[in-house]
Amino acid sequence: MTQKPHDIGLPVERRGRRRSGSGLAGLLVHGPRDAALDCDIIDLDAKGARVRLRPAPAMLPTDFRLLLPGSAVAYEARLAWRRG
């Protein structure tokens, strides 16, 4: 019998296609004073990104901007999932 990922406590992949790894550093900017949090952009595609904050804050805003390094690109973003 084959177990499915959710049967053994592993996260279930729900995206239609895999994101490609980025290996980039970025910034999450939020709030009226543009507070910034350093992050590692683990993977990225046209519909979303997975980031790791260093260190992980106790509170995280729901809405923020994700700034990519070395570019003038900033994405309006919304927290969809958080581990822990």
Side-chain angles (χ1 to χ4, degrees), residues 14-34:
R14 292 188 175 105
R15 289 186 287 270
R17 62 186 159 132
R18 260 183 108 74
R19 293 182 180 150
S20 60
S22 76
L24 298 172
L27 285 174
L28 295 183
V29 179
H30 63 92
R33 296 182 186 202
D34 289 334

Side-chain angles (χ1 to χ4, degrees), residues 7 15 19 21-22 24 27-29 31 35 40 42 44 48 51-52 55 59 61 64-65 69 71 73 76 79 84:
D7 292 339
R15 289 186 287 270
R19 293 182 180 150
S22 76
L24 298 172
L27 285 174
L28 295 183
V29 179
D40 294 318
I42 306 302
L44 180 67
V51 301
R52 179 175 299 129
M59 296 296 293
F64 50 88
R65 293 180 309 282
S71 72
V73 177
E76 294 294 324
L79 178 65

Side-chain angles (χ1 to χ4, degrees), residues 59-76:
M59 296 296 293
L60 187 62
T62 302
D63 297 300
F64 50 88
R65 293 180 309 282
L66 174 61
L67 280 67
L68 299 181
S71 72
V73 177
Y75 295 98
E76 294 294 324

